[in-house]
Amino acid sequence: MPAAVAGSLALAAATLTGTAGAATDTRTGAIAAAAAPSHLSGTLADGATWIADVPADWNGTLLLFSHGYGPAVAQNAPSDEARTALLSEGYALAGSSFDPQGSWWALNSAERDQFATLDAFGRTAGRPSRVLSVGLSMGGLVNAQIARDGAGRVHGALGLCGLVAGGVDLDNYQYDAEYTIASLLMPGQEVRLTGFADAADAAATAQRLTDAVTAAQATPQGRARIALAAAYLNQSDWAPDHDPPAAGDPEGQEAQQFAWLSQGVLGFIENGRWSIEQSAGGNTSWNAGIDYAALLRDSEHAGQVRALYRKAGLDLRADLATLTRGAHLHADPGARRRLEASSTAGQRLAVPLLNLHTIADQLVPVQQETAFAERVRAAGDDRLLRQAYVARQGHCAFTTAEIVAGVRAIDRRVTTGRWGDVAEPAVLQRSALSLNLGGAAFVRYRPGRLVVGR
């Protein structure tokens, strides 16, 4: 048992509570190792809860897990299966709920709560010899912030399907898609796209947009306009239960983009916008002054859109002019500043970071990795960043084997002090397949540019 474990584990399945990030603990001396993992929990100063699991044969490394968008419930692993596998590898796991009084877009408290969880874990279970931060989806953005700010507290970081382009870019490119649907598929209708009163208001807009897309799919003209909105959304053209469409098959590409849009993506987007506006205190999107023709030229799907417009006999220039002419939305200045302060990452890195992403992610487009890498490179920290890709459809659709292989890779990078080939797709693939935990599909891949235009 490593030195970091000394003075830990007398309390199998213990539940500990406390304040100011500390857990109340009247015990002294060492906690005897138990055959099963010990479960710990506590309460932080802002009311957030934290949980941890420590295996009897703890290797001294703590995985500090940041959960994704959703209710403020403490989580310490991406899935139950991943928790079991990582505990069997000897890792301790910890994570917080984030502030339960705040928005589901928990960036105002998440990084602070994660560092407080780290402190509480150290006081309760013993100081770990190494800390690796892990984050999923929205938690991937938190994870990138921890990788930026965590010098001396964490040693490396693993991002899983991370929303690493940040909240400002997210709100803007999603708005462009919503605005395109409302303007071209619902002309003359009043459609609330920002400033939702509550979750029900957001859901009502999502349903109207989804209904408009569903109706438009019946005509060539509608399909062309759906493809235009999907291009602004950076929407994947590889949907579940389909093979990837051929590069020269614009109809097949649009059909799979429609499959995503008609199966709940817009509902998730609108609920997320309401949560972000709650967190920031107002509308954070703007399109005043945006040239929608120039914006389309940035998209890897521009050729697809042009082909579908030609086939439909539609004037693409006219539609783009309509969008540019109607672009008058301004963000609330204070809300924009607050979101920029809370919900960006990538300017610097203090520790090595490995990001994993599925190549067909319908909620956090893989192109976000391109935007993030450009910012890290501009800051001069690209030596600390590696990105790896999995050929699969779906948001965060990793197998347990892929997750554990990612943890092993960043652990090795920290141990050796160099990347070597640890983040190469063939090496990750071999590592994952050796685990017999659900297969793997690591591939060499380069994502396109994120279409944002701001």
Side-chain angles (χ1 to χ4, degrees), residues 180-196:
T180 299
I181 293 169
S183 298
L184 300 182
L185 301 182
M186 308 168 72
Q189 299 183 40
E190 290 292 326
V191 185
R192 181 185 294 277
L193 298 178
T194 66
F196 298 125

Side-chain angles (χ1 to χ4, degrees), residues 268-314:
F268 192 91
I269 286 172
E270 299 308 330
N271 186 268
R273 178 174 295 281
W274 172 64
S275 293
I276 289 174
E277 290 183 353
Q278 275 189 305
S279 176
N283 171 45
T284 59
S285 298
W286 70 95
N287 73 342
I290 292 296
D291 179 343
Y292 279 86
L295 197 63
L296 178 61
R297 288 194 292 271
D298 280 345
S299 173
E300 62 193 78
H301 296 298
Q304 170 204 354
V305 172
R306 295 187 188 105
L308 291 174
Y309 265 79
R310 285 194 300 269
K311 185 170 183 177
L314 275 179

Side-chain angles (χ1 to χ4, degrees), residues 81-82 84-85 88-89 399-405 408 428-442:
E81 294 79 7
T84 298
S88 72
E89 294 266 314
T399 66
T400 298
E402 288 159 352
I403 293 168
V404 175
R408 285 181 168 184
L428 288 165
Q429 183 74 358
R430 285 196 300 272
S431 175
L433 291 177
S434 72
L435 295 164
N436 295 316
L437 290 173
F442 286 102

Side-chain angles (χ1 to χ4, degrees), residues 222-240:
R223 292 192 290 273
R225 286 166 169 156
I226 290 169
L228 179 60
Y232 293 141
L233 188 57
N234 300 278
Q235 183 63 65
S236 168
D237 60 8
W238 184 20

Side-chain angles (χ1 to χ4, degrees), residues 130 407-422 427:
R130 176 178 296 168
V407 170
R408 285 181 168 184
I410 191 62
D411 199 349
R412 181 179 168 196
R413 165 61 180 84
V414 172
T415 298
T416 64
R418 53 190 288 273
W419 285 108
D421 63 359
V422 69
V427 175

Side-chain angles (χ1 to χ4, degrees), residues 99-113:
D99 182 0
Q101 305 305 316
S103 162
W104 283 8
W105 183 261
L107 272 295
N108 288 328
S109 74
E111 185 181 18
R112 178 188 71 232
D113 289 333

